[in-house]
Amino acid sequence: MVHSAESLLPTLWHNLSAAVLVLDEKFIIHYANNSCSELFGLGIKRLIGQPLSAAFSHHHINIERINQYVLLDGVDCQQHRVDVVFIDNRAATLNLHTRRIQHQNITYILMECRRIDDEVRFDQASNQLHQYHAARTLIRGLAHEIKNPLGGIRGAAQLLQYEGCQSERDQCAELIIEQADRLTELVDRLLGPNQLLHKTPCNIHQTLESVIKLSMLDNEHNIKVVKDYDPSIPDIPIDQAKIQQVVLNIVRNAQQALLTGGKITLTTRIKHRLRRGERLMKKALLIQITDNGPGIADELKETLFFPMITNKDGGSGLGLSIAQTLIEQHEGMIDCDSWQGHTEFNIYLPF
Ligand SMILES: Nc1ncnc2c1ncn2[C@@H]1O[C@H](COP(=O)(O)OP(=O)(O)OP(=O)(O)O)[C@@H](O)[C@H]1O
Ligand SMILES: [Mg+2]
């Protein structure tokens, strides 16, 4: 026997894994599926007719936002990682999705709740582990970079102690100065760029052309550069030298990854309404640098933008961390997505 879709609906509704509520404009609960009683620890009968807030002893749901977005503007509203405490004192973290629905000329709010405690805990543990590894790598790298010049300085000072000949003494002094400068340079690079930006309206494509010219001076693997520019992009106020430095480092990284040749693509676009975490950009310039190399090594992915993360002989691992500082100074965003055969870096700069 084939059941009609209609007759299946009540069963479907009660078997959804998400806890689903239907609220009216005053946030009174009209319907709740079975998963709600499990989540809230209250029978469905005890939920219906109650205000939403009565289902919690404490909650961080942004009711004002739901009012504004869902009821007034009619757009969906998502709230991530909302901490709540239920009536029976159980604490939980929820993801909420709310949408306006109309039924028989009455406006309702459809609210889907998913519990994400396990994911949050897993993320925290995994973040902690990655940070621990990044910190260890940073300390090891630093120790290594500092120890070499220190050894040189100590050796030269020892020689200086017993050296009678003036020209030899001069050589030792020179060595000490050289190694001290090396240490200063290291510290400066670690501290990152600290000058103020000199922003002027710039043609981004001219900046990218300079990067291509510079990077192609040394193109021993015959890497192809493909340009996919949006010519309608107007001048944008940036510190041209700094943005050039950022893109050049990313292009150099791609060149260094393409050991057997390949392709680097530079793309420019205008993007609207971008959200990353708390930050919202109404209008942004996207500069995308893509290569078809082997991809970022798995063990580097989570901490890619940390200082001293590198797997290159002689690499300082500071390129991407400096890039991030410079993009932050522009109030922009930088991210990376990578798998075997594809690596893309996206730089967003606000207009
Ligand atoms: N396009 C890419 N493909 C594969 N791996 C990459 C790519 N870009 C970056 N990486 C990886 O990210 C690491 C960090 O890059 P970053 O530019 O910060 O430092 P680096 O290039 O190792 O050293 P530096 O830039 O200071 O000389 C690199 O060592 C490399 O392993
Ligand atoms: Mg680099």
Side-chain angles (χ1 to χ4, degrees):
M1 190 173 72
V2 180
H3 291 282
S4 73
E6 301 276 298
S7 71
L8 265 174
L9 282 182
T11 315
L12 280 180
W13 163 253
H14 283 299
N15 280 289
L16 290 173
S17 65
V20 188
L21 297 160
V22 178
L23 315 166
D24 66 15
E25 288 171 288
K26 297 206 161 65
F27 290 84
I28 304 291
I29 301 171
H30 280 244
Y31 299 97
N33 68 353
N34 275 351
S35 294
C36 289
S37 53
E38 208 175 296
L39 179 68
F40 293 98
L42 289 170
I44 295 178
K45 282 195 186 132
R46 293 238 357 236
L47 284 166
I48 288 173
Q50 295 294 321
L52 177 67
S53 56
F56 305 100
S57 71
H58 186 74
H59 73 79
H60 279 128
I61 301 173
N62 192 336
I63 297 290
E64 222 167 89
R65 243 181 87 188
I66 299 177
N67 254 323
Q68 175 65 43
Y69 284 76
V70 180
L71 290 177
L72 293 175
D73 300 344
V75 294
D76 291 2
C77 170
Q78 305 208 32
Q79 294 182 29
H80 295 291
R81 291 197 172 202
V82 180
D83 289 321
V84 299
V85 181
F86 299 111
I87 296 295
D88 56 9
N89 272 333
R90 281 174 306 124
T93 308
L94 307 178
N95 271 358
L96 299 179
H97 186 277
T98 41
R99 163 173 292 189
R100 187 169 78 183
I101 53 172
Q102 300 275 353
H103 182 63
Q104 294 175 345
N105 279 335
I106 302 174
T107 301
Y108 293 101
I109 302 164
L110 179 67
M111 177 180 270
E112 296 169 50
C113 317
R114 273 176 208 282
R115 210 173 160 160
I116 53 158
D117 306 44
D118 289 345
E119 287 159 50
V120 171
R121 228 173 290 132
F122 178 82
D123 282 355
Q124 277 167 350
S126 144
N127 275 347
Q128 234 170 32
L129 193 69
H130 287 306
Q131 279 172 11
Y132 166 77
H133 282 302
R136 293 268 325 154
T137 312
L138 176 61
I139 289 167
R140 247 192 255 137
L142 262 182
H144 179 77
E145 295 276 339
I146 293 170
K147 258 190 146 169
N148 279 339
L150 277 184
I153 290 173
R154 190 171 197 285
Q158 258 177 337
L159 283 177
L160 202 55
Q161 228 173 0
Y162 305 110
E163 189 54 65
C165 162
Q166 186 58 41
S167 82
E168 296 280 334
R169 292 171 68 95
D170 286 350
Q171 258 182 27
C172 288
E174 222 166 84
L175 207 141
I176 292 175
I177 293 170
E178 221 173 72
Q179 296 304 309
D181 286 350
R182 200 172 135 188
L183 281 174
T184 311
E185 196 209 4
L186 171 71
V187 173
D188 284 346
R189 279 196 300 149
L190 271 175
L191 286 175
N194 61 354
Q195 300 107 319
L196 288 175
L197 295 183
H198 296 293
K199 280 196 196 175
T200 46
C202 287
N203 178 323
I204 191 63
H205 300 128
Q206 268 170 16
T207 313
L208 297 183
E209 287 302 311
S210 312
V211 170
I212 294 173
K213 229 182 246 163
L214 280 171
S215 55
M216 287 301 124
L217 288 176
D218 169 25
N219 185 19
E220 58 171 322
H221 301 300
N222 272 324
I223 292 161
K224 203 174 141 204
V225 175
V226 179
K227 301 172 205 172
D228 177 11
Y229 297 161
D230 173 354
S232 71
I233 294 174
D235 286 3
I236 173 170
I238 50 170
D239 187 322
Q240 190 174 19
K242 303 279 163 48
I243 296 300
Q244 184 170 317
Q245 185 187 347
V246 171
V247 181
L248 184 61
N249 177 57
I250 295 174
V251 170
R252 282 251 155 86
N253 281 345
Q255 277 181 300
Q256 288 161 357
L258 292 168
L259 286 176
T260 52
K263 185 174 82 177
I264 299 175
T265 309
L266 295 174
T267 307
T268 55
R269 292 286 184 272
I270 300 280
K271 294 278 166 188
H272 295 275
R273 284 194 71 80
L274 290 168
R275 186 180 279 286
R276 290 286 182 289
E278 294 294 296
R279 195 176 277 172
L280 175 76
M281 273 194 220
K282 284 201 172 136
K283 189 176 169 196
L285 163 66
L286 163 68
I287 309 168
Q288 186 180 65
I289 302 113
T290 313
D291 71 69
N292 60 351
I296 310 264
D298 279 343
E299 66 274 16
L300 303 186
K301 273 185 184 161
E302 296 293 329
T303 50
L304 192 62
F305 291 93
F306 280 43
M308 295 217 152
I309 295 295
T310 183
N311 58 6
K312 293 176 194 166
D313 278 344
S316 72
L318 290 176
L320 289 176
S321 114
I322 293 173
Q324 188 172 37
T325 308
L326 291 171
I327 297 301
E328 280 291 325
Q329 284 183 347
H330 278 83
E331 286 164 34
M333 303 186 289
I334 179 167
D335 62 32
C336 170
D337 210 359
S338 176
W339 55 90
Q340 165 79 37
H342 180 96
T343 299
E344 67 177 54
F345 282 87
N346 297 304
I347 300 169
Y348 301 93
L349 297 169
F351 265 102

